[in-house]
Amino acid sequence: MVKILVAGGAGYIGSHVVKAILKAGHQAVVYDDLSSGQRINLFPQAEFIQGDILDYAALKEAMSRNIDAVVHLAGKKAVGESMLVPEKYAVNNITGALNIINAMAECGVKHIVFSSSAAVYGMPEYLPVDEKHPLNPINYYGFTKLEFERNLEWYSRLKDFSYMALRYFNAVGYDAEGDIRGKELNPQNLLPIIIEAATGKRECLNVFGNDYETRDGTCVRDYVHVTDLAKAHVMALEKLMDGAKSEVINLGTNTGTTVKEVIQAAEKVIGKKLNVKYVERRPGDPAELVASYDKAKKVLGWEPDYKNIEDIVRTTWNMENLG
Ligand code: UD1
């Protein structure tokens, strides 16, 4: 049994990671400032420290509790906001993340799994995108993820660390067993916005562009279920604890789904037509983004369990109805 500090463990992906860590028989310590994470997402079996990654003293105190490894998911993730308020992203996603590895170095913690993103690639030059694809982020959010990956690479050499940077494609869905109760607040992504349109919280769903060169004119993305992502974190942690070397790994499904297909799946699951409006393209949206997960399979032995968009949508819709 190992003891894992999960920074951002009360958040959307973090809470699923904590569940997977506990399920695998390990101990979890959640470190979260509850700025976007929620108390309702905490598991009673996991210790909780309410703290900010910008508070170095608190972080060091947390890290000195016999921690074996860290999962860092305490980041800001609104792409649009990162272009308007880059300083918020610089401070949280770069300075905060550096605090984590500095505290690890001071406390002798040697392994970290980092929540990175497909946003490090920018506009895809070929598909599916593998880890050798050029790195040209086109938004500041993606830049912060890449910047920290590079720090991990340096620290792994200079401070004798090992790390796994997991580059998520489009994270979606909720725990199918209903153990995660905190619905994401102020969601910015397609599927939660669809749900808001279906429940009347929004008047309609704006689809950003239907004139892309794709099979139905709308953008193609690789939607990967959050429970599959969580499983990969545990596999990455266990590999690192076993002495595996540092790696950067894509987490996606090698399956592209268009915005229209997500809408159709949602309409089928929910059982009603959505009020859809086609509007201008959103600047910076690639037409198509799909992952190769060959490396995840090879290095971690990981494969997504969720492969069908309807099943994925159902887990989000069920969450809506948990009350
Ligand atoms: C982006 C980032 C991803 C990041 C994620 C976190 C890139 C390339 N991708 O994903 O790395 O982890 O945000 O938030 O930077 N859409 C609509 N209407 C809406 C909302 C979305 O049509 O109201 C469409 C978008 O144009 C896109 C798809 O739905 O084609 C998915 O959008 P979204 O959920 O915002 O995620 P990405 O922008 O793909």
Side-chain angles (χ1 to χ4, degrees):
M1 183 164 70
V2 291
K3 195 171 177 186
I4 318 290
L5 182 93
V6 187
Y12 166 52
I13 299 176
S15 54
H16 288 83
V17 169
V18 171
K19 176 174 172 174
I21 287 172
L22 296 171
K23 209 170 155 188
H26 304 304
Q27 265 180 291
V29 178
V30 171
Y31 187 92
D32 198 303
D33 66 358
L34 301 181
S35 60
S36 56
Q38 302 173 61
R39 209 171 269 282
I40 193 175
N41 280 341
L42 297 171
F43 286 84
Q45 308 92 304
E47 223 179 295
F48 173 56
I49 302 167
Q50 184 166 355
D52 189 331
I53 54 171
L54 297 171
D55 181 347
Y56 189 68
L59 202 48
K60 231 177 81 182
E61 194 283 319
M63 212 70 82
S64 58
R65 299 185 184 193
N66 290 321
I67 299 297
D68 297 295
V70 171
V71 182
H72 171 36
L73 316 103
K76 302 285 171 206
K77 63 160 191 144
V79 173
E81 185 190 46
S82 78
M83 299 296 273
L84 300 170
V85 202
E87 55 276 24
K88 182 170 168 184
Y89 286 73
V91 169
N92 279 282
N93 291 9
I94 302 176
T95 310
L98 286 172
N99 280 344
I100 289 187
I101 48 177
N102 284 329
M104 284 172 62
E106 273 200 64
C107 299
V109 182
K110 296 281 183 200
H111 313 290
I112 179 168
V113 175
F114 172 55
S115 151
S116 190
S117 168
V120 298
Y121 296 115
M123 285 294 175
E125 292 176 16
Y126 59 83
L127 293 167
V129 173
D130 59 19
E131 293 80 356
K132 294 195 177 87
H133 186 283
L135 301 167
N136 292 308
I138 55 159
N139 51 60
Y140 191 73
Y141 162 77
F143 168 77
T144 65
K145 293 289 182 186
L146 181 57
E147 187 71 5
F148 187 59
E149 280 192 9
R150 290 189 166 145
N151 274 295
L152 282 173
E153 199 186 322
W154 273 105
Y155 269 60
S156 70
R157 281 188 261 152
L158 303 175
K159 300 272 187 192
D160 187 27
F161 263 37
S162 64
Y163 71 88
M164 298 253 181
L166 304 180
R167 293 175 176 163
Y168 317 151
F169 282 64
N170 289 59
V172 279
Y174 278 95
D175 176 47
E177 292 161 353
D179 288 334
I180 313 282
R181 303 303 300 255
K183 217 177 16 163
E184 237 192 323
L185 307 167
N186 308 313
Q188 310 273 338
N189 297 105
L190 177 66
L191 187 52
I193 290 175
I194 286 180
I195 302 291
E196 288 191 348
T199 54
K201 208 170 162 199
R202 278 175 196 254
E203 216 176 284
C204 69
L205 168 72
N206 289 325
V207 172
F208 303 137
N210 61 352
D211 57 352
Y212 285 96
E213 288 203 2
T214 58
R215 54 183 173 269
D216 63 19
T218 62
C219 288
V220 170
R221 293 288 180 274
D222 188 336
Y223 295 94
V224 53
H225 197 275
V226 65
T227 299
D228 283 327
L229 292 180
K231 182 177 74 172
H233 289 70
V234 175
M235 289 171 157
L237 281 167
E238 289 175 349
K239 287 277 174 205
L240 290 174
M241 301 297 297
D242 276 353
K245 68 177 177 64
S246 299
E247 300 280 4
V248 170
I249 294 175
N250 282 348
L251 294 179
T253 67
N254 203 355
T255 303
T257 308
T258 69
V259 175
K260 274 190 188 164
E261 287 161 356
V262 178
I263 296 170
Q264 277 157 13
E267 287 179 334
K268 200 160 160 206
V269 168
I270 298 167
K272 81 177 208 199
K273 282 269 168 212
L274 294 176
N275 187 9
V276 176
K277 225 202 248 161
Y278 291 95
V279 299
E280 288 290 289
R281 289 181 177 194
R282 184 172 66 174
D285 261 343
E288 201 160 335
L289 192 59
V290 175
S292 156
Y293 69 87
D294 289 355
K295 190 170 173 189
K297 195 170 170 185
K298 197 167 136 226
V299 174
L300 303 177
W302 179 86
E303 275 202 76
D305 290 324
Y306 284 89
K307 288 175 180 144
N308 174 300
I309 191 68
E310 251 176 68
D311 294 340
I312 290 177
V313 170
R314 197 167 292 112
T315 65
T316 303
W317 181 238
N318 288 347
M319 172 73 180
E320 189 62 33
N321 298 308
L322 276 177

